[in-house]
Amino acid sequence: MIKIEDLHIKVWEKEILNWVNLKFKKWKNYCLLGKNGSWKSSLSAFLMWQPNYEYISWNVEIDWENLLELSPDERSAMWIFLSFQNVPEIKWIKLGEFLRTIYNIHLKNENPEQKDISPFIFKRFIKKHLEELKIEEEFLDRDLNVWFSGWEKRKIEILQMKLIWPKYIILDEIDSGLDLDAFKSVCKLLKNLDSENNTFIIITHYFKILDYLEIDKVYVMKSGEIFKKWWKELVEYIKENWYEDLK
Ligand SMILES: Nc1ncnc2c1ncn2[C@@H]1O[C@H](COP(=O)(O)OP(=O)(O)OP(=O)(O)O)[C@@H](O)[C@H]1O
Ligand SMILES: [Mg+2]
């Protein structure tokens, strides 16, 4: 479980999150909703690691450990995966090497005795995943996400999820910028990943993704606060009435 208690964050003297309290339980799926600029992505970034955030008062646990004591690579290798609203493009890092590195870190976390998988073996291992996701093998030699299409970037994120099996998967508007076919494929792949061993935290403005991923609970953010917590039925209200008159 990710448990956030009384989290208050300032960045450059500006208060951004106000006394946020919430829980993301294991095996459940959540929707994190709110209008543009309600600090949803900032909260996600904080969970993944944000060096320039100043915590005023906080207690953030993940599976009974202090999340804030974990480095970003520990968080990602063991627990959290953030599918970015804007997927970063990173020059000079080859996709294949990146995937091999995160896979090796993940394996070492599972078993400290584990030896690094060589590029040769990794290439053979990753082949089945590339085929399944219809990603050309030559992508492995391209710079990470540089000039990838929106759909290709999402497939690479799903490939990462398949490699490291994160427990908590934050989908920050994974449904934006995809055509209908790509959107459906992404949703089906995510549905296949949805299991009793992971928790999806879904940020969306369109809700169609919820036809594929069953949610349990909804958190609505407003001006950096958790404005409302309710069961999944709240989505139906928001779909019809948007955020008007929500109390
Ligand atoms: N590091 C930062 N420093 C200053 N302002 C920031 C920082 N990070 C985010 N913001 C500001 O915080 C506000 C909330 O942004 P955020 O991206 O978290 O909203 P959001 O709820 O994800 O919105 P959207 O639905 O449009 O994606 C914005 O005004 C943004 O410019
Ligand atoms: Mg956002």
Side-chain angles (χ1 to χ4, degrees):
M1 175 167 70
I2 296 180
K3 185 169 158 192
I4 301 177
E5 284 179 311
D6 287 341
L7 173 69
H8 195 79
I9 297 180
K10 272 209 296 197
V11 59
W12 298 316
E13 294 305 308
K14 191 176 161 196
E15 304 205 341
I16 61 167
L17 288 186
N18 294 310
W19 312 116
V20 168
N21 283 283
L22 49 82
K23 287 177 188 162
F24 297 117
K25 291 187 185 164
K26 258 189 194 169
W27 313 309
K28 303 220 167 191
N29 290 340
Y30 294 82
C31 233
L32 185 60
L33 300 178
K35 289 184 174 180
N36 292 131
S38 54
W39 304 95
K40 303 178 299 294
S41 296
S42 306
L43 178 61
S44 315
F46 162 79
L47 289 173
M48 203 64 237
W49 199 66
Q50 255 291 6
N52 50 6
Y53 283 4
E54 190 186 327
Y55 324 111
I56 297 181
S57 163
W58 45 260
N59 173 35
V60 186
E61 292 170 12
I62 181 163
D63 297 350
W64 315 111
E65 290 202 42
N66 183 351
L67 176 84
L68 301 166
E69 281 177 1
L70 298 172
S71 67
D73 38 322
E74 280 171 330
R75 294 180 199 194
S76 75
M78 295 295 291
W79 286 306
I80 307 177
F81 184 87
L82 171 60
S83 157
F84 288 98
Q85 182 166 2
N86 300 304
V87 184
E89 302 187 351
I90 304 178
K91 271 192 186 156
W92 316 119
I93 295 189
K94 301 277 176 244
L95 173 66
E97 264 315 285
F98 170 74
L99 294 173
R100 190 173 75 89
T101 305
I102 62 164
Y103 188 57
N104 277 328
I105 294 172
H106 171 67
L107 291 180
K108 271 220 176 66
N109 267 292
E110 300 272 287
N111 172 14
E113 309 285 297
Q114 174 75 41
K115 293 250 177 338
D116 275 0
I117 304 229
S118 70
F120 180 73
I121 305 273
F122 184 72
K123 217 165 181 176
R124 277 202 339 221
F125 158 77
I126 198 83
K127 220 175 160 140
K128 65 172 190 297
H129 289 301
L130 296 177
E131 278 166 12
E132 189 199 351
L133 291 164
K134 299 195 178 66
I135 301 169
E136 307 282 333
E137 212 176 308
E138 66 225 33
F139 270 66
L140 296 176
D141 294 320
R142 286 179 57 177
D143 285 353
L144 180 58
N145 291 325
V146 177
W147 296 109
F148 287 19
S149 76
W151 168 215
E152 287 160 353
K153 285 178 180 168
R154 293 311 182 192
K155 286 203 279 192
I156 298 306
E157 285 189 327
I158 290 168
L159 177 52
Q160 292 172 60
M161 294 177 208
K162 283 173 171 286
L163 290 181
I164 59 178
W165 284 98
K167 290 184 196 157
Y168 301 94
I169 301 173
I170 308 171
L171 304 174
D172 194 352
E173 299 197 31
I174 198 166
D175 49 3
S176 63
L178 294 174
D179 73 34
L180 196 58
D181 287 340
F183 168 74
K184 282 185 182 166
S185 304
V186 164
C187 288
K188 283 181 192 155
L189 289 163
L190 291 170
K191 190 180 162 83
N192 288 339
L193 282 169
D194 187 13
S195 81
E196 296 208 330
N197 296 319
N198 57 24
T199 298
F200 279 98
I201 300 159
I202 303 157
I203 300 174
T204 179
H205 293 297
Y206 301 107
F207 310 107
K208 200 79 191 128
I209 189 172
L210 304 180
D211 292 349
Y212 297 81
L213 294 173
E214 180 88 11
I215 54 156
D216 300 282
K217 205 162 177 190
V218 182
Y219 292 117
V220 182
M221 294 191 71
K222 189 176 171 185
S223 314
E225 289 177 23
I226 299 294
F227 171 66
K228 193 162 179 81
K229 304 177 183 183
W230 200 251
W231 309 110
K232 61 180 177 186
E233 288 74 22
L234 183 61
V235 168
E236 295 309 315
Y237 178 88
I238 294 171
K239 268 193 210 166
E240 288 214 353
N241 306 288
W242 200 225
Y243 295 95
E244 306 308 323
D245 301 326
L246 190 63
K247 292 197 180 76

